[in-house]
Amino acid sequence: MTFRTLDQADLRGRRVLVRVDFNVPMQDGAISDDTRLRAALPTIQELRKAGAKVILLSHFDRPKGKRVPSMSLKPVAEPLSALIGAPVAFADDCVGEAAEQAEGYLEPGGVLLLENLRYHAGEEQNDPEFARQLAALGDLYVDDAFSAAHRAHASTDGLAHLLPAYAGEAMRRELTALDLALGHPERPVLGVVGGSKVSSKLDLLTHLVTKLDRLAIGGGMANTFLHAQGWEVAASYCEKDLADTARDIIRAAGRHNCELLLPIDIVVSERAEPGAAARVRGLGELDEHERILDAGPQTVARLEQAMDASKTLIWNGPLGVFEIPPFDRATVQAARHAAALAKAGKLVAVAGGGDTVSALNVAGVAGDFTFVSTAGGAFLEWMEGKTLPGVAALNR
């Protein structure tokens, strides 16, 4: 796909509506993680430098079309101001007189944050009239919120059809990275998909076996595949009712020449608790009360060999119960190996999804991957091959 970027726009003195994702975690009225604020900084600073009037649009939580004081974006203005080193004005509505007055006071290079879009039901309904009210505040539209691009809302879809539309820097980086991973990757391409449930990633697995050269499956979902192949999983988490589905995916992988890498050894315990006694077992060698909680060392070694033989890696989901040591070892070891290859320029390594980001942070290597997406649902839907409305709206 092709889309306009900021270097193609005449920005000086223009009112630029920027869709950001400031749906940040809050604790006691204060931001507990400002990652999403920092992600928007390159776009904000580029617009300010060019002399644009920067008007920020975001949702926060789920007020469902009503004004909920605890879901106001006002607490975001001051921390954002500290990050950009300049004042950030705040308007207590995103449309109407309050927004218009605040926008009228804005000077070139100034920044204005509008109140929660979802205070208006028209946002999630992609209501044309609400989109027109938003559009009246700007001359250009910039989407810098890939994490919200899987929703056809007024601020992610409707606006892009009313104003000249551009991708912000965070959006551009995300789309470029995902194109490197799945759109036009350098082959061979290896996928790693973990997590607990096959049922939550059916579309993903079904799509990936048509795109990848190898696909490693880990986490609880690997138990379902092992069960489908006739291996005993004892007390392990397993969606036994999806055995036929797992076998269908195995056959589809064969038809598309995608090599499936399932565990060849496992780490088991009777308790999923920190410091619990863990034992390495061969497949099917579990006692009746034991649970599979991580991939074994032979499985990790084979995965590392697959990484060494690949040019591109796309990763979603941990290989075990990484939140509970010692069942984080497979995920941490594999992540560090991938990161070392990426840092050495031998592998394009792209990862995403909430648990994946947490796992890479546990391993201390998130900064060494080629790209790590924090987009969650949008990242998954992209991997599933689905069209994202917010991305499609930028296509030119």
Side-chain angles (χ1 to χ4, degrees):
M1 67 173 294
T2 58
F3 48 87
R4 297 189 188 107
T5 51
L6 295 179
D7 57 347
Q8 299 170 302
D10 177 12
L11 298 169
R12 178 159 297 278
R14 309 296 291 278
R15 301 172 302 158
V16 182
L17 293 172
V18 187
R19 180 50 160 102
V20 291
D21 182 359
F22 287 170
N23 189 28
V24 292
M26 292 274 195
Q27 189 169 356
D28 300 324
I31 296 172
S32 56
D33 183 346
D34 66 358
T35 300
R36 288 182 169 174
L37 301 190
R38 293 179 181 277
L41 293 182
T43 293
I44 294 172
Q45 298 291 41
E46 183 170 345
L47 291 171
R48 293 185 65 237
K49 184 177 179 181
K53 299 178 180 182
V54 185
I55 304 166
L56 303 174
L57 309 170
S58 181
H59 71 283
F60 182 75
D61 213 327
R62 299 178 181 274
K64 299 182 179 179
K66 299 178 181 178
R67 293 187 71 92
V68 180
S70 63
M71 298 180 189
S72 173
L73 277 168
K74 190 171 184 178
V76 172
E78 188 174 331
L80 180 62
S81 174
L83 287 172
I84 66 175
V88 173
F90 180 76
D92 67 2
D93 205 345
C94 59
V95 291
E97 184 178 352
E100 291 165 4
Q101 285 186 352
E103 181 266 316
Y105 288 120
L106 206 56
E107 298 287 341
V111 181
L112 168 64
L113 174 63
L114 301 183
E115 183 57 282
N116 193 344
L117 289 160
R118 291 185 181 174
Y119 277 4
H120 296 265
E123 162 64 0
E124 293 186 87
Q125 294 168 359
N126 198 4
D127 177 62
E129 178 55 32
F130 180 67
R132 280 191 289 270
Q133 291 178 52
L134 291 172
L137 298 170
D139 303 308
L140 303 175
Y141 167 73
V142 173
D143 193 344
D144 210 30
F146 178 80
S147 53
H150 57 316
R151 305 293 185 226
H153 292 170
S155 67
T156 59
D157 178 60
L159 262 179
H161 300 288
L162 297 173
L163 295 174
Y166 298 80
E169 283 300 292
M171 175 72 84
R172 181 189 61 77
R173 289 196 306 272
E174 187 101 30
L175 295 180
T176 300
L178 295 182
D179 189 57
L180 280 174
L182 275 182
H184 300 86
E186 188 176 358
R187 292 190 175 277
V189 186
L190 167 67
V192 175
V193 176
S196 59
K197 295 182 178 181
V198 173
S199 56
S200 66
K201 296 189 178 179
L202 274 178
D203 290 345
L204 176 61
L205 296 171
T206 302
H207 179 66
L208 288 183
V209 295
T210 71
K211 294 288 186 180
L212 305 178
D213 299 294
R214 294 186 180 91
L215 174 60
I217 297 177
M221 66 173 60
N223 302 339
T224 301
F225 280 84
L226 294 177
H227 167 74
Q229 292 183 317
W231 294 108
E232 176 59 54
V233 295
S236 307
Y237 178 84
C238 179
E239 294 175 291
K240 294 184 178 180
D241 58 321
L242 291 180
D244 286 342
T245 301
R247 286 188 282 266
D248 287 343
I249 293 171
I250 292 170
R251 286 190 287 267
R255 289 195 302 273
H256 292 281
N257 297 313
C258 175
E259 181 185 1
L260 273 189
L261 302 178
L262 295 170
I264 52 177
D265 63 339
I266 50 181
V267 174
V268 305
S269 180
E270 293 185 2
R271 298 178 294 114
E273 298 174 2
R279 295 170 285 277
V280 177
R281 295 270 201 255
L283 296 183
E285 295 179 354
L286 296 81
D287 296 335
E288 62 176 325
H289 298 299
E290 289 182 326
R291 301 160 61 186
I292 303 171
L293 297 173
D294 202 8
Q298 293 179 46
T299 300
V300 176
R302 186 182 60 168
L303 179 55
E304 291 177 342
Q305 291 171 0
M307 291 177 183
D308 292 340
S310 299
K311 294 294 186 182
T312 304
L313 167 69
I314 185 163
W315 187 331
N316 172 258
L319 302 177
V321 187
F322 78 97
E323 305 94 336
I324 306 176
F327 310 111
D328 58 344
R329 288 177 182 169
T331 300
V332 168
Q333 185 177 334
R336 288 177 177 169
H337 190 81
L341 291 171
K343 196 172 182 179
K346 297 178 180 178
L347 184 71
V348 172
V350 175
D355 284 348
T356 313
V357 177
S358 297
L360 297 185
N361 285 331
V362 167
V365 296
D368 292 332
F369 268 57
T370 309
F371 186 79
V372 177
S373 172
T374 58
F379 180 83
L380 271 177
E381 290 196 20
W382 181 281
M383 285 181 68
E384 291 167 1
K386 296 178 180 176
T387 298
L388 306 187
V391 173
L394 297 175
N395 197 17
R396 293 288 179 267

